[in-house]
Amino acid sequence: MRPLLRAPILENMQELQKAVARFFAEDGLLARNFTEFQPRTGQKLMAQAVSLCIQEGGALVVEAGTGLGKTFAYLVPALLSHQKVIISTASKILQEQLYKHDLPKLKNILSLPISVGLLKGKANYVCLHKLAMLTSQPWLMENVPAEVIREVKQWEKTSYTGDIVELLAKGFDHKIIPSITTTSESCIGKECEFFTDCRAHRARKQALACEVVIINHHLFFADQKLIENAMGELLPKVDFIVFDEAHKLNDIGVQFIGIQCSTLTLTELAKEVEVMCQNVLNGRLMGMVAPVKKLNMDIWEWCHHNLPHKGKYPWSRLAETPSVEQALQEVFKTLADCFTSMSQQLLEHGKGMPDILMLAEKLNHQATSMVRLTLPVSEDWVRWIDWSLETVQFHQSPMDISSFMQTYLLKAQPEKKQSWLFTSATLGHDKDLKWFVQPTGLENNCKILSVPSPFNFQKQATLFLVSHEFANPQEVSDHQAQVAKLAWFVASLLQGRTLVLTTTRKSCKTIGELVSQVASDEFQVLIQGEAADAKLVHQFKKMAKPSILLGTANFWQGIDIPGIPLQAVIIDKLPFPPPEDPRVQAYAHYLKTKGKNAFRDYFLPEATVVLKQGIGRLIRHENDHGLVVVCDKRLAYSNYRHKILQGLPPMLLYASQSMPDLYACIERTVGDWTESVNPE
């Protein structure tokens, strides 16, 4: 084994770009320590841009095409700079990849004694107080068998981290996790008797001492003022902040900045208070639960009287009848008063009891949410109702995170030259990356770099467009039947290896069932929802049987299936935002008030980016090849088709003239692959 070559310690930041260039050179450290290393112009370009960002400060947005090697392109400058760094990801998978593989590998190559910490939210660690409660208070164990509690306690004694991932790896049921973990809303912090041994506190303390800290976007946005989950202590001390998988930043931020309240939450909270009063306070204060239960029922009755059917409704629907809106807000105000009063009374009667403190924290948090639902919202916020069989949910969230980013992040440390990197494989449909920079508040506040994928899409992938004969997506039954028929045709040619992406769960289920009806016995049809996503993807990759995988939502951007297992992606229709969704309606209206065109400035870019992400599932390596079929003839015939096509990878394009023509061309394409792999 050849000896590792040491990276030099920089005397000043001006040397960083030179050091990074040497690292990625054809005879540099990376090449000498990795026999599989291939110099990539795009990777070096991104690494130099990141180096300059670290040197000068400010924000840099980089769209780094698949296969570029973006992780090393930002990690190398970050490590060589010897600065305090936060890396935030959207997924735990990437967190683990960075923490267990990429960073240790680079630290080894660079021979740098850099400490790395992995920080998760409190709900990811066992709560010693709640675990003790389960043992000392039997009434809390009704949903958790005593044997399971004993096994969990045994695990906790041997686990240094207390990370729930370890427990799940042992085969424990996910359902027990809420019983043994806490959240920021209910944690009592230093008031807890187990605080000095708290696993979450220990993880936070260790992370604060590290030079590189890995977190996720959920944790980053857990509190607007960045004072929870260690962020208040961590951010001011950081020099360089990286958001990888930045395409999910806006969605996650909107979720955490906003508020959610539901009848199910109210029911569970009332039950928790009832149990506490009965078993800890010897029956005292039981009477204060009844009003909450009644108010909860009032919400259900209000829905039955004022909403025609279950579904999602914009708040503006209520504003059309002021008395209807006022009636609901009166319920919210009364609930807020009830929760505030319950919290105060519990604290008075249970002084010094940690269990009471935790419950009082939850009640106060809920009261605050209820009050916010009664206050007027500004034009850049949206409020809506989601009425389902199980619960009624009330939501309130900003249209986007632009105000938050500008207020709390980009302007938070004007005296400190912080550097910010936002990167992902897909961040927009145009050179200005407006899809990303506008909702994140970065427009005119950042430098932008788009680095294309090193893959040869013209040779590796073919995009097929269906002919005018194909049913319109609005003709739901006929369209789904034709998508299923085409998916089965492609899968039968490829012996499986086909991913079908749909825009709704209902379509996914229906098309999957139609494919199952015609598929031969040796095939397996894997439909999202019938098992855990990870299990379905694993089965598909394993190729034990020819497989067709059908999915929606996170399957468009959240799965990675390189190589032979995936050679075709079938997309049912253009992924426009659903116009009936209250959030979509509100955002479209908001854009109109700003003088913008909702279709041009929102619907079209959104559909293009999501389509680009879905197509991106196909080519993950320079040796991959495959085909994409978009079963929506609007991509072939609409007056906006060129705008969408321009935003996609530069694949070989085939617009079919008829359905027989489409089928024949697909068959020829697959035949050409076979001949190239197995020449006579």
Side-chain angles (χ1 to χ4, degrees), residues 439-455:
T440 53
L442 293 167
E443 192 172 29
N444 303 320
N445 288 311
C446 67
K447 292 181 180 178
I448 292 173
L449 176 65
S450 289
V451 189
S453 167
F455 301 151

Side-chain angles (χ1 to χ4, degrees), residues 153-168:
K153 287 180 73 69
Q154 187 61 39
W155 161 77
E156 182 273 320
K157 290 177 182 177
T158 59
S159 172
Y160 176 75
T161 66
D163 194 324
I164 293 301
V165 168
E166 297 177 11
L167 198 61
L168 296 176

Side-chain angles (χ1 to χ4, degrees), residues 376-396:
V377 292
S378 59
E379 64 173 2
D380 56 350
W381 278 67
V382 57
R383 188 181 282 167
W384 74 97
I385 303 171
D386 189 354
W387 180 21
S388 66
L389 285 172
E390 298 84 14
T391 187
V392 183
Q393 294 179 320
F394 301 95
H395 300 266
Q396 181 175 303

Side-chain angles (χ1 to χ4, degrees), residues 269 272-273 276 346 354-363:
L269 197 51
E272 197 171 341
V273 172
M276 192 68 71
L346 284 172
D355 307 350
I356 298 294
L357 285 173
M358 291 178 73
L359 184 52
E361 287 286 342
K362 291 173 73 171
L363 290 166

Side-chain angles (χ1 to χ4, degrees), residues 189-234:
K190 293 180 180 179
E191 300 294 328
C192 180
E193 60 183 309
F194 296 99
F195 181 73
T196 54
D197 295 319
C198 175
R199 299 295 195 270
H201 174 65
R202 179 190 294 171
R204 183 181 79 169
K205 191 174 180 180
Q206 291 175 342
L208 288 170
C210 291
E211 292 152 289
V212 178
V213 183
I214 304 169
I215 63 172
N216 60 44
H217 303 342
H218 292 82
L219 180 59
F220 189 86
F221 282 112
D223 186 275
Q224 282 194 39
K225 296 180 180 178
L226 305 177
I227 58 173
E228 294 181 356
N229 299 317
M231 291 295 96
E233 297 173 63
L234 191 56

Side-chain angles (χ1 to χ4, degrees), residues 491-508:
S492 61
L493 288 175
L494 293 171
Q495 285 298 294
R497 304 172 187 176
T498 300
L499 170 65
V500 180
L501 295 174
T502 68
T503 54
T504 66
R505 291 192 178 277
K506 187 175 181 181
S507 293
C508 180

